[in-house]
Amino acid sequence: MSHKLWGGRFSGETDPRMEAFNASIHFDQRLWRADIQASQAYAKALARAGILTPEEAETLVTGLEQVAQEWAQGRFVLQPGDEDIHTANERRLTELVGPVAGKLHTGRSRNDQVATDLRLWLREEIRTLRQELRGLIRTGVERAREEIDLLMPGYTHLQPAQPIRWSHWLLSHVWPWQRDAQRLDQLAERVNVLPLGSGALAGNPFPIDRRFLAQELGFQDVTPNSMDGVSDRDFVAEFLFWASLTMVHLSRLAEDLILYSTQEFGFVVLADAYSTGSSLMPQKKNPDSMELLRGKSGRTLGHLTGLLATLKGLPSTYNKDLQEDKEPLFDAVDTLARALPIAAGVLATLAVLPQGLAMALTPEMLATDLADYLVRKGVPFREAHHIAGKAVRMAEERGISLPELSLADLRQLHPAFDHDVDLVWDFEASVEQRDVEGGTSRRAVLAQIQALERWLEES
Ligand code: ARG
């Protein structure tokens, strides 16, 4: 007789290459704890349904606890026939408690089992990731509060555009992370639904109390349709989308910081702790931490598109293709678990160079303010924009900077210019004028900081 769980109807041997191809134990063993928890709950449910005596259920629960100990202590020894984590745990349980182990799988299928394990596992991972994300947000908010005095150039199209507060730039990265945290909370609710009791596809033939199972395992709800329950991997796809978008956000921070740490920008210096040197060029200090965040975002995105491609053409219910859900999910979880603390570390230890920021502020960035000045004198914006543009060209042609144009020069362009035009050439004033909600004035930035601090307290 074959040692396989499903060996009964088979007489021929499996090609060893097929055996290796089919096996998932080398990656799904990380589900061991979830698999045991779910089996313990299931043993109790079987007892409640009268399939097991209370003593038998107790034997299974205790035996499963022993298996868990072996995993926890690194003593679990895999055997050649251990196709996946479910077969491995059941095989070991049988060795420990004898034939009664054969009752555990009554009414259950690996189809509802694996879906349950994966949801249980992901739910716990999400808790950790959520904490890391919160830490990153906190770091960003703290810096934004401390360094609110600093001004810097803001860019569009990577061209110097208008002066902004450094904290405003920082927070422009923090808000997407806050949305990522909200998104994670929302998808966590959809992860936390129990498929166990769906059987292979048609439901459980024994009076298993699924609500009891859900309660035992901390699930909010049970899946409403057994066929959907065994094949639904939306929660994996959603998580991979979350992971991808979060990595895209980290990648954009990384890109800014890579640029800002170049000699040409000279705005920030990455801490040694998050930089590496060159094996050839002694002077180099490379922002590898940031480049890896940027690079790994591509990899995570690949997992999302890969999983969607796997799901796309599947017929109803469970198909073995679904075994391909785990490696991308595991890798995305690992990537985020590593990336979030790195991003937080970089952000916490980054040195900002106030001189560099100040030197990069050029009066041309106040050309909009010059137009706004005319608007305040009653000139229509379109005309004001045109005149400010002419002033920029005039200064450029004479090889001087905008504020060096005399009042007489400006009056040539428009009679509304007056002595108070001098007040335009002040970066702080420019920034303070943008005082609307969401703007870059001190008050508006402080309001953002307070809103995020309140959010941090509540979450
Ligand atoms: N290792 C399998 C997976 O990860 C478990 C489910 C197997 N189910 C089956 N009917 N062969 O998807």
Side-chain angles (χ1 to χ4, degrees):
M1 187 181 110
S2 166
H3 61 276
K4 292 189 172 65
L5 284 182
W6 37 266
R9 61 104 59 229
F10 286 80
S11 54
E13 287 302 313
T14 314
D15 182 326
R17 287 168 299 192
M18 173 54 197
E19 197 131 352
F21 193 56
N22 191 40
S24 52
I25 186 67
H26 53 290
F27 53 83
D28 68 15
Q29 57 181 279
R30 46 191 300 188
L31 299 176
W32 68 263
R33 194 189 300 275
D35 191 68
I36 284 174
Q37 283 170 349
S39 285
Q40 287 178 323
Y42 195 66
K44 292 181 199 170
L46 285 173
R48 285 167 64 101
I51 308 293
L52 295 180
T53 66
E55 295 71 36
E56 286 174 326
E58 186 52 40
T59 305
L60 294 186
V61 169
T62 318
L64 285 163
E65 203 50 54
Q66 275 177 270
V67 180
Q69 288 300 320
E70 293 184 8
W71 278 112
Q73 293 163 4
R75 287 191 287 112
F76 192 101
V77 184
L78 287 172
Q79 298 298 331
D82 291 345
E83 181 181 318
D84 55 25
I85 185 61
H86 325 295
T87 47
N89 280 342
E90 192 178 323
R91 188 264 309 153
R92 185 65 188 132
L93 180 66
T94 309
E95 289 167 2
L96 290 173
V97 305
V100 64
K103 294 193 175 187
L104 176 61
H105 212 54
T106 313
R108 187 175 71 170
S109 157
R110 276 185 295 160
N111 299 353
D112 57 348
Q113 187 177 3
V114 71
T116 303
D117 292 1
L118 201 56
R119 286 171 182 268
L120 263 181
W121 178 84
L122 183 57
R123 188 178 75 191
E124 299 314 307
E125 297 297 321
I126 284 175
R127 290 208 174 113
T128 315
L129 293 173
R130 182 63 170 72
Q131 280 307 107
E132 295 295 348
L133 186 53
R134 187 177 184 280
L136 174 64
I137 294 168
R138 170 174 294 284
T139 305
V141 173
E142 277 170 7
R143 271 208 96 126
R145 190 175 263 295
E146 275 161 31
E147 291 165 338
I148 195 159
D149 292 336
L150 297 176
L151 304 186
M152 70 182 285
Y155 299 83
T156 64
H157 312 267
L158 212 49
Q159 304 292 325
Q162 291 175 341
I164 53 167
R165 287 196 186 277
W166 155 258
S167 299
H168 198 49
W169 169 80
L170 270 174
L171 294 174
S172 77
H173 287 285
V174 175
W175 284 111
W177 301 332
Q178 187 250 9
R179 293 195 295 276
D180 292 334
Q182 290 175 337
R183 244 186 300 273
L184 190 58
D185 291 342
Q186 288 158 1
L187 79 90
E189 285 179 29
R190 286 185 288 275
V191 172
N192 204 19
V193 181
L194 174 90
L196 198 57
S198 298
L201 75 158
N204 197 305
F206 302 101
I208 293 296
D209 184 349
R210 298 189 66 207
R211 296 284 159 184
F212 164 80
L213 277 173
Q215 209 178 9
E216 277 287 295
L217 294 168
F219 283 105
Q220 272 307 313
D221 208 347
V222 303
T223 54
N225 176 302
S226 60
M227 294 177 73
D228 179 39
V230 293
S231 68
D232 173 16
R233 295 295 184 275
D234 291 3
F235 69 101
V236 180
E238 271 195 76
F239 178 84
L240 291 176
F241 173 73
W242 172 84
S244 300
L245 190 58
T246 303
M247 286 304 290
V248 164
H249 292 149
L250 295 183
S251 181
R252 296 193 66 186
L253 170 78
E255 175 59 17
D256 271 0
L257 288 179
I258 289 166
L259 282 171
Y260 293 173
S261 66
T262 57
Q263 206 178 335
E264 287 74 7
F265 275 84
F267 292 176
V268 298
V269 179
L270 288 196
D272 284 355
Y274 296 100
S275 312
T276 58
S278 158
S279 57
L280 176 70
M281 299 161 283
Q283 86 283 10
K284 292 290 290 289
K285 183 168 153 183
N286 296 328
D288 290 31
S289 52
M290 296 287 104
E291 291 166 358
L292 283 169
L293 288 178
R294 195 175 56 187
K296 284 176 191 292
S297 67
R299 163 180 172 153
T300 308
L301 224 144
H303 290 325
L304 171 63
T305 52
L307 179 85
L308 290 173
T310 298
L311 297 180
K312 171 184 169 295
L314 289 187
S316 277
T317 81
Y318 184 84
N319 300 268
K320 197 62 172 265
D321 315 45
L322 289 175
Q323 183 164 283
E324 293 296 310
D325 60 356
K326 285 168 211 66
E327 285 163 293
L329 179 64
F330 293 164
D331 189 67
V333 165
D334 291 341
T335 300
L336 270 290
R338 290 179 193 133
L340 290 167
I342 292 290
V346 167
L347 203 56
T349 56
L350 186 75
V352 56
L353 303 175
Q355 277 285 91
L357 297 184
M359 270 164 51
L361 285 167
T362 59
E364 287 64 40
M365 272 176 247
L366 298 169
T368 318
D369 297 75
L370 188 66
D372 293 343
Y373 166 92
L374 287 176
V375 167
R376 291 194 175 90
K377 302 271 181 193
V379 181
F381 176 74
R382 270 295 144 240
E383 191 187 343
H385 181 280
H386 195 71
I387 292 159
K390 279 186 169 171
V392 169
R393 194 172 51 184
M394 185 187 269
E396 212 172 69
E397 277 165 6
R398 298 203 201 150
I400 59 175
S401 80
L402 258 184
E404 286 172 319
L405 291 173
S406 67
L407 183 56
D409 294 333
L410 290 171
R411 279 215 167 117
Q412 258 181 33
L413 300 174
H414 199 286
F417 281 114
D418 214 334
H419 290 284
D420 57 356
V421 74
D422 285 346
L423 300 176
V424 167
W425 312 123
D426 179 344
F427 298 111
E428 183 84 22
S430 163
V431 162
E432 284 306 281
Q433 251 159 35
R434 284 152 176 93
D435 191 39
V436 293
E437 203 174 323
T440 196
S441 76
R442 179 181 299 272
R443 198 193 59 84
V445 172
L446 275 173
Q448 295 178 55
I449 292 169
Q450 280 155 8
L452 283 165
E453 285 171 345
R454 245 176 289 135
W455 180 84
L456 278 167
E457 262 168 44
E458 289 161 12
S459 60

